[in-house]
Amino acid sequence: MLPKHLQEKIDGYAKKYKISDKNVIEITKRVEEANEYGIIAPGEAIGIVTAECFGERATQMTLNTFHFSGVAEMNITVGLPRLIEIFDARKNPSTPQMEIPLRPKFSKNIDMVRIVAMKIKETLLGEIIQEITINIAKSNIMVILDKKKLKDLDLKPKFVFDKIVAGLKTCDVKEVDGGILIKPKDKEINLSEVYKLKEKAKSIHIGGLKGITYVLPVKNDEGIYIVHCVGSNLKDALELEEADTENIRTNNIFETSTVLGIEAARAAILQESLHVIRGQGIDLNIRHIMLLADVMTRTGIVKGVTRTGISGEKESVIARASFETPIKHIINATLIGERDPLNSVIENVVINQPVPLGTGLPKLVAKKEAMESGKPKK
Amino acid sequence: MTDVFLNENFIGTVDNAKEFIKQIRSERRKGVLNYELNFYWDEDYNEVYLDITRGRTRRPLIVVENGKSKLTDNYIEEAKNGTLKWDKLVKEGVIEYIDAAEEENCYVALDEKDLTKEHTHLEISPVVILGLCTSLIPYSNFGSSSRLIRGSKIQKQSLGLYASNYLLRMDTDVNVLHYPQKPITKTFMHDIYGWEKHPSGQNVVIALMSFEGYNMEDALIVSKASVDRGFARSTYFKPFNAEELRYQGGLVDEVCIPDKEVKGYRSEKDYRLLEEDGVVYTGAKVKGDDVVIGRVSPPRFLGEFEEFNIATNVKRESSIALSHKDNGIVDMSLITESEEGNRLVQMRLRQQRIPEVGDKFASRHGQKGVISYLVPLADMPFTVSGIVPDVLFNPHGIPSRMTISHLIEIIAGKVGSLTGKYIDGTSFDVMPEKELRKMLKELGFRESGLETMYNGISGQQFKAKIYIGDMYYLKLKYMVAGKLHSRATGKIQLLTRQPIEGRSQGGGLRIGEMEKDCFVAHGASLLLKERFDSDKTNVFVCENCGMLGIYDNFKHNEYCTKCGANVKISVVEMSYAFKLLLDELKSLGVYPKLELGRKY
Ligand SMILES: [Zn+2]
């Protein structure tokens, strides 16, 4: 029997090219044969084949960063470092990045798009000031706002002042002539701490999506404006009314998992690793990645292929101990009296028994006692 | 207002950074501030960094003020007289050391005639762009940088005349090339360095062509005739030494031919090459297990006397012998004193290394490869004028690596050998490629460097014209004679019963983690088991308690120390390493219980 989608495909072609019934039967027979041949045989070591396929392709990866239309801020980690990042399930990618397509209503022309883009980008205090100076004698900091930049971003000085007050709880913030004076409550503060305070003040969040440090609106082939962002904030991006929220893409798998759930995270792992591999012009069967994505997400949370992730959760004590930190695993196994059923590869290699794969898989089913007595035992 | 940092710590602010920098710079040049201080003004961030920490790489530059070098003619005159000291130049602010950060604020002129008012420093010599090893690569400005790096690394591995007194030295693991030559295509560095006094390489005739597919993947085809005439022969020296150590109680080692009474006496045959003083004679051909320096030591523990009840001196044999696979000729032996004043006997072994399949060679341009075939002279291709190349190099090695310098050296070498002159291939300078091609044409050859060649096997003319010329080739220290190894069975480790590691002791070749994965991926698990059972063992397991039982060889019965003889005890085949693991777990107080099931 053929899977439904293949049968439908054959029927579709038969109709389209007017193939005779006799030929359709022959084609179906051959497709069935090919399909059957493609099915993995019992005892095939799919995990290791997947690992070797990835490993061999990884040696061919050369490009490690990708620059987006010549903008230095928009370089994206690709290639092997990115693959490692995905499969280790790092909480934060080294170059977080998000693509926000805009609804046509809000992107009629480039000026509208630019306004939306500026709204998405995170604004920090350091970007809208004219000057920030330390008074060494009085141990205080003077901030003078840039009026022109405030106007460009449609911000009121009072709004900025409130943000500073909220951002620096350990300081007295006063509005003085021509600027804002920040004075630490602690009188006994030394110079380097004042300097740290100045750096902290510069990074106070004023507006936009937190974590988005750079935006670049690009029009795609279908005429839709997409805002490419450096930094990722899926939760806030989903609340933007200007965004086509169904098609937002982020390269932060962990964020996808927390905001959209585990199935979305599985799809994201698939999409991201496929993107890396295809981007290098390398052909790798999607089923390998699917297997890996399934294994990484099957428990309901994203787990990396690391000693704290799926490799540390193997059933066998010996297999775990032979991977990393053996003493820890043996001690824990001893405490609970763990039983090793010896049904995987490594533990059988350790004790030198055939691994239950390939030629080591087939077993004689008949019972020895039954053979001796001549009749089956109950 | 500019923030100022000292050693990465914030120390305060200055109002005018430019003036501040100017002031500390002049004070450093005067010697008021330490000359190791470096500073850097980052104009974008408006911050000044002062640095006097350790671990910064710094390099000397000539100071320029108002467009004029501070290294005046007076200094140069002094330098010519030989009275000038480097320290003086640093002290007087003529030379200053700049670190990587301060370099950002500098504008350095490469040549004195390029100096303008804006320049702050002058390079001591344009030559310093390349290091010593890289300067030895001719036409290096035509090669790609990664290949230059490889090229300079390769030169360090080449065999040559490493020291002219090598016959008097006892160096470990050294090689000396027979008939080393000066390169035809040289650079200025060869003259400065005194290359002709200790050259390392030979000039060969090289043709860029394939030959019967033997030079795939960087392999090299070498003419057997060239090898027979002495191309790339080298000698390998290996020292052996024996010291007469002193022990407690006035006991001392003795170099001699060991007596037959001595504990651990080898066979008489092993000592046959020793002279009366216990040292092998010079010129002896030694091989496998032969003793080269005979020695006896006092017993290790005094208790050993009682062992055989012979109170007289039962000494221990501690001779120096060749390892199992070694061979060679005794080159020299000498008797001297060690640092502690003990008598020391040294012996040097010599081996001639004739190029063979697998030996590694390289040109100076990062093009390395191993010999894949030694072609008999009769089969080698030849040119119209009867020239037979020494080496055939695969042209596929050129495009992807872009070592144009390799190609130019071939033409330069050809011109040099035809005119009898050395060609200067210094980078960025002298003897342009055009000139070489012109000269080649005048000498009656194609200016492209191509020549018509004939197949040595059939005598037919090749359809393609072959690029042929002369170049300098290096023999590298990696030779098959030092690497070749195989084993069927042999020594095992006492603890794990697994084969020992290492070529020198006749160890096994490891089937590692990834090799194991290959077997698994193919599903060949029974083959995998067979490959791994070098330490297999049969143990008796008590089916009652799951611990190891005992087999009594005298009574021919088996029993469990815990459950007695009336339990079922089965023989299980497992790796000795796992049995060891079980024992180690038991020693930790962990009870590893084995549950047995049916195999079939
Ligand atoms: Zn027992």
Side-chain angles (χ1 to χ4, degrees):
Chain A
M1 262 308 274
L2 271 181
K4 205 176 155 198
H5 72 278
L6 283 179
Q7 192 65 59
E8 275 168 8
K9 239 180 196 170
I10 294 171
D11 293 345
Y13 281 124
K15 218 174 202 177
K16 195 174 166 192
Y17 298 107
K18 297 193 179 75
I19 302 167
S20 69
D21 284 357
K22 195 185 145 207
N23 284 344
V24 169
I25 291 166
E26 180 64 24
I27 289 168
T28 313
K29 207 182 117 201
R30 295 231 186 138
V31 172
E32 256 171 28
E33 272 171 22
N35 189 50
E36 210 146 283
Y37 187 72
I39 292 170
I40 295 272
E44 184 79 42
I46 49 170
I48 280 191
V49 171
T50 296
E52 287 189 344
C53 285
F54 263 109
E56 201 274 332
R57 301 311 129 104
T59 58
Q60 294 172 29
M61 293 194 187
T62 44
L63 209 64
N64 286 341
T65 50
F66 170 72
H67 295 263
F68 201 89
S69 48
V71 186
E73 285 90 346
M74 294 220 61
N75 67 345
I76 299 158
T77 310
V78 292
L80 198 57
R82 176 69 184 141
L83 267 191
I84 293 170
E85 208 169 88
I86 296 169
F87 297 138
D88 277 1
R90 302 254 168 89
K91 284 266 156 70
N92 294 301
S94 61
T95 50
Q97 185 229 351
M98 193 162 63
E99 281 164 22
I100 306 176
L102 301 182
R103 288 182 202 278
K105 203 167 84 184
F106 296 97
S107 53
K108 282 186 185 122
N109 55 50
I110 189 73
D111 289 329
M112 281 177 84
V113 173
R114 213 165 274 154
I115 290 165
V116 177
M118 286 321 288
K119 209 179 136 189
I120 291 169
K121 185 184 175 297
E122 180 181 25
T123 309
L124 300 176
L125 184 63
E127 294 163 25
I128 54 163
I129 53 173
Q130 199 172 24
E131 209 186 332
I132 183 160
T133 47
I134 299 175
N135 188 327
I136 297 172
K138 290 179 182 163
S139 302
N140 61 20
I141 300 164
M142 181 73 174
V143 179
I144 299 163
L145 296 173
D146 189 329
K147 297 226 170 61
K148 195 175 160 287
K149 279 183 185 157
L150 286 182
K151 209 178 160 193
D152 286 350
L153 292 164
D154 197 21
L155 291 168
K156 296 261 158 16
K158 181 77 184 83
F159 177 77
V160 176
F161 178 76
D162 289 344
K163 286 276 183 185
I164 298 173
V165 173
L168 295 171
K169 296 235 165 70
T170 58
C171 301
D172 289 322
V173 186
K174 267 185 288 180
E175 244 179 310
V176 290
D177 195 29
I180 299 161
L181 192 72
I182 302 167
K183 202 172 164 59
K185 278 176 187 163
D186 184 7
K187 290 266 157 55
E188 304 281 303
I189 195 161
N190 68 34
L191 200 56
S192 67
E193 278 175 52
V194 177
Y195 181 77
K196 272 181 203 153
L197 198 64
K198 178 187 139 186
E199 292 303 308
K200 196 185 166 193
K202 273 158 103 179
S203 59
I204 291 171
H205 173 81
I206 303 293
L209 266 56
K210 242 183 200 163
I212 309 291
T213 55
Y214 192 88
V215 286
L216 183 76
V218 174
K219 197 176 186 177
N220 75 359
D221 299 340
E222 287 136 44
I224 297 164
Y225 279 99
I226 295 171
V227 181
H228 289 262
C229 310
V230 174
S232 174
N233 190 338
L234 187 60
K235 197 170 167 238
D236 291 350
L238 287 172
E239 279 160 21
L240 284 173
E241 57 167 344
E242 294 91 343
D244 176 9
T245 45
E246 280 172 25
N247 290 313
I248 294 176
R249 172 184 167 262
T250 171
N251 70 351
N252 190 335
I253 289 157
F254 202 77
E255 199 176 53
T256 312
S257 165
T258 39
V259 177
L260 296 173
I262 196 68
E263 277 300 328
R266 190 195 94 96
I269 293 170
L270 201 60
Q271 188 188 8
E272 287 297 314
S273 39
L274 211 57
H275 180 75
V276 173
I277 289 157
R278 299 275 191 268
Q280 305 264 331
I282 289 164
D283 185 40
L284 179 70
N285 197 300
I286 192 171
R287 269 159 256 269
H288 294 308
I289 312 167
M290 283 160 87
L291 175 70
L292 202 55
D294 280 341
V295 174
M296 282 172 73
T297 52
R298 76 192 166 99
T299 52
I301 33 171
V302 181
K303 282 192 171 157
V305 192
T306 55
R307 84 169 161 260
T308 48
I310 55 173
S311 304
E313 291 182 347
K314 281 179 195 158
E315 200 186 356
S316 164
V317 194
I318 298 172
R320 265 182 283 134
S322 73
F323 180 58
E324 262 171 9
T325 56
I327 295 167
K328 195 186 100 189
H329 284 295
I330 287 173
I331 289 173
N332 289 338
T334 310
L335 290 176
I336 59 167
E338 217 170 308
R339 188 171 178 276
D340 194 329
L342 303 178
N343 49 20
S344 187
V345 177
I346 301 162
E347 53 268 38
N348 280 297
V349 171
V350 169
I351 64 167
N352 196 25
Q353 297 296 319
V355 291
L357 282 169
T359 54
L361 188 66
K363 292 265 153 61
L364 219 54
V365 178
K367 284 188 179 171
K368 203 185 167 203
E369 294 94 332
M371 278 158 54
E372 279 163 358
S373 62
K375 56 186 173 188
K377 229 177 183 179
K378 277 196 185 151
Chain B
M1 204 71 125
T2 309
D3 296 340
V4 181
F5 298 80
L6 174 65
N7 296 344
E8 316 249 296
N9 292 317
F10 180 67
I11 51 163
T13 57
V14 290
D15 288 329
N16 190 338
K18 202 174 173 186
E19 277 303 314
F20 175 66
I21 288 285
K22 208 170 160 186
Q23 193 190 338
I24 51 172
R25 177 173 290 139
S26 81
E27 281 182 12
R28 182 180 65 187
R29 284 179 189 169
K30 271 184 224 151
V32 180
L33 289 169
N34 193 311
Y35 81 104
E36 286 181 358
L37 177 78
N38 286 106
F39 36 82
Y40 161 52
W41 177 25
D42 190 328
E43 283 184 64
D44 295 332
Y45 283 86
N46 204 18
E47 283 166 346
V48 171
Y49 298 95
L50 307 175
D51 212 332
I52 194 151
T53 48
R54 60 169 123 169
R56 292 165 295 133
T57 340
R58 299 151 79 238
R59 68 191 194 100
L61 288 171
I62 298 170
V63 174
V64 172
E65 267 170 14
N66 300 320
K68 285 219 171 63
S69 160
K70 285 192 87 176
L71 187 76
T72 51
D73 291 346
N74 291 343
Y75 287 112
I76 293 168
E77 202 59 46
E78 241 183 285
K80 277 180 183 162
N81 297 338
T83 51
L84 186 66
K85 289 265 158 53
W86 180 263
D87 283 353
K88 190 185 170 192
L89 291 175
V90 178
K91 213 172 270 170
E92 293 182 6
V94 179
I95 299 269
E96 66 184 359
Y97 283 88
I98 303 296
D99 77 349
E102 189 171 342
E103 228 169 31
E104 296 290 319
N105 289 153
C106 297
Y107 184 36
V108 185
L110 202 61
D111 219 320
E112 191 157 9
K113 59 176 184 285
D114 302 334
L115 279 178
T116 64
K117 276 251 152 76
E118 282 87 54
H119 281 105
T120 59
H121 293 89
L122 171 66
E123 204 74 70
I124 292 171
S125 164
V127 160
V128 298
I129 258 190
L130 301 173
L132 191 148
C133 277
T134 317
S135 309
L136 291 169
I137 302 172
Y139 295 99
S140 59
N141 49 320
F142 290 91
S144 73
S145 59
S146 71
R147 288 287 143 189
L148 288 188
I149 294 166
R150 265 167 250 219
S152 13
K153 276 184 187 164
I154 277 171
Q155 298 206 64
K156 295 174 199 165
Q157 302 170 9
S158 62
L159 304 187
L161 194 65
Y162 73 99
S164 37
N165 64 341
Y166 71 93
L167 282 172
L168 303 171
R169 297 169 65 100
M170 279 287 182
D171 297 300
T172 357
D173 199 31
V174 287
N175 294 277
V176 170
L177 184 71
H178 301 185
Y179 316 115
Q181 293 174 350
K182 237 165 116 178
I184 296 172
T185 319
K186 59 180 189 178
T187 72
F188 76 99
M189 191 54 88
H190 287 97
D191 296 329
I192 295 175
Y193 188 53
W195 188 265
E196 69 266 35
K197 293 215 174 79
H198 46 86
S200 61
Q202 286 169 326
N203 294 295
V204 296
V205 178
I206 183 169
L208 261 68
M209 60 180 291
S210 60
F211 183 81
E212 307 278 313
Y214 274 102
N215 55 1
M216 284 193 286
E217 293 286 337
D218 285 338
L220 220 64
I221 291 168
V222 176
S223 163
K224 185 86 172 51
S226 306
V227 172
D228 289 344
R229 289 187 193 111
F231 167 62
R233 270 176 204 226
S234 62
T235 298
Y236 173 72
F237 292 109
K238 188 180 183 180
F240 291 85
N241 49 54
E243 194 177 339
E244 290 191 343
L245 290 171
R246 288 169 196 283
Y247 300 91
Q248 270 180 344
L251 296 167
V252 73
D253 286 340
E254 193 193 346
V255 170
C256 60
I257 302 174
D259 203 67
K260 278 188 182 167
E261 320 281 85
V262 164
K263 197 180 161 195
Y265 187 76
R266 295 157 192 256
S267 72
E268 212 167 317
K269 185 176 153 262
D270 290 340
Y271 300 104
R272 73 186 188 283
L273 298 165
L274 300 185
E275 290 186 310
E276 285 135 56
D277 59 356
V279 186
V280 72
Y281 66 89
T282 307
K285 280 186 186 164
V286 285
K287 63 166 192 268
D289 299 328
D290 282 346
V291 172
V292 286
I293 303 170
R295 184 174 61 178
V296 289
S297 300
R300 201 170 285 156
F301 310 107
L302 288 171
E304 279 184 48
F305 281 118
E306 278 89 33
E307 205 179 311
F308 299 103
N309 280 330
I310 305 165
T312 51
N313 64 355
V314 178
K315 285 193 172 177
R316 205 157 43 86
E317 135 85 289
S318 61
S319 298
I320 309 293
L322 250 58
S323 77
H324 183 60
K325 283 174 183 168
D326 243 352
N327 65 67
I329 292 165
V330 178
D331 193 47
M332 179 186 77
S333 56
L334 58 89
I335 297 166
T336 177
E337 238 174 37
S338 74
E339 276 171 47
E340 286 87 42
N342 298 328
R343 195 158 165 265
L344 178 72
V345 179
Q346 288 194 305
M347 194 283 287
R348 192 171 62 198
L349 189 74
R350 153 164 55 93
Q351 285 172 9
Q352 195 187 43
R353 297 268 170 95
I354 300 170
E356 58 180 318
V357 170
D359 283 358
K360 196 171 173 186
F361 285 78
S363 78
R364 286 176 289 175
H365 312 274
Q367 290 280 12
K368 53 177 190 276
V370 294
I371 298 182
S372 61
Y373 185 29
L374 292 170
V375 191
L377 181 63
D379 291 347
M380 283 295 281
F382 53 91
T383 68
V384 180
S385 50
I387 295 287
V388 180
D390 299 303
V391 172
L392 301 180
F393 178 86
N394 193 330
H396 289 91
I398 300 286
S400 58
R401 289 165 200 162
M402 299 185 281
T403 49
I404 306 306
S405 49
H406 187 92
L407 299 178
I408 297 174
E409 196 198 327
I410 291 176
I411 291 195
K414 196 170 181 177
V415 171
S417 58
L418 287 166
T419 53
K421 282 179 195 149
Y422 289 107
I423 307 291
D424 192 341
T426 307
S427 307
F428 304 104
D429 208 7
V430 235
M431 202 51 103
E433 187 200 344
K434 246 185 206 161
E435 190 73 23
L436 289 171
R437 293 195 187 276
K438 217 179 100 196
M439 283 167 81
L440 203 57
K441 200 172 185 184
E442 281 164 12
L443 288 160
F445 287 84
R446 282 195 190 84
E447 61 178 349
S448 59
L450 301 177
E451 278 184 50
T452 305
M453 285 184 83
Y454 296 88
N455 187 333
I457 298 169
S458 65
Q460 281 173 324
Q461 187 184 320
F462 287 124
K463 274 184 189 159
K465 301 281 174 275
I466 308 290
Y467 191 70
I468 182 170
D470 292 63
M471 85 183 305
Y472 198 56
Y473 244 74
L474 315 168
K475 185 187 188 186
L476 306 187
K477 65 180 179 188
Y478 303 106
M479 281 166 279
V480 167
K483 305 262 178 208
L484 190 72
H485 177 53
S486 69
R487 136 170 184 163
T489 88
K491 288 185 205 162
I492 54 165
Q493 276 167 12
L494 206 61
L495 184 68
T496 60
R497 296 198 189 168
Q498 284 172 358
I500 54 161
E501 215 169 317
R503 186 186 102 98
S504 53
Q505 303 141 74
L509 293 161
R510 190 187 181 85
I511 293 271
E513 188 92 17
M514 294 173 97
E515 289 77 14
K516 175 211 78 184
D517 287 345
C518 271
F519 283 109
V520 176
H522 279 93
S525 59
L526 293 179
L527 179 63
L528 175 73
K529 178 181 176 291
E530 205 172 289
R531 232 351 299 240
F532 271 125
D533 66 9
S534 56
D535 65 337
K536 79 170 169 193
T537 180
N538 287 318
V539 294
F540 296 84
V541 178
C542 166
E543 291 202 28
N544 185 36
C545 65
M547 298 273 256
L548 299 191
I550 287 172
Y551 179 76
D552 191 326
N553 257 324
F554 289 110
K555 293 177 186 163
H556 294 290
N557 66 350
E558 61 249 350
Y559 62 97
C560 171
T561 43
K562 187 167 160 247
C563 317
N566 294 326
V567 284
K568 195 171 180 199
I569 290 183
S570 308
V571 184
V572 177
E573 184 194 295
M574 61 169 71
S575 63
Y576 190 81
F578 184 61
K579 193 236 154 201
L580 183 70
L581 175 71
L582 295 177
D583 290 344
E584 286 188 358
L585 286 175
K586 277 180 226 161
S587 75
L588 290 169
V590 179
Y591 172 21
K593 184 176 178 181
L594 299 179
E595 288 175 15
L596 302 187
R598 294 236 167 269
K599 199 170 179 183
Y600 302 107

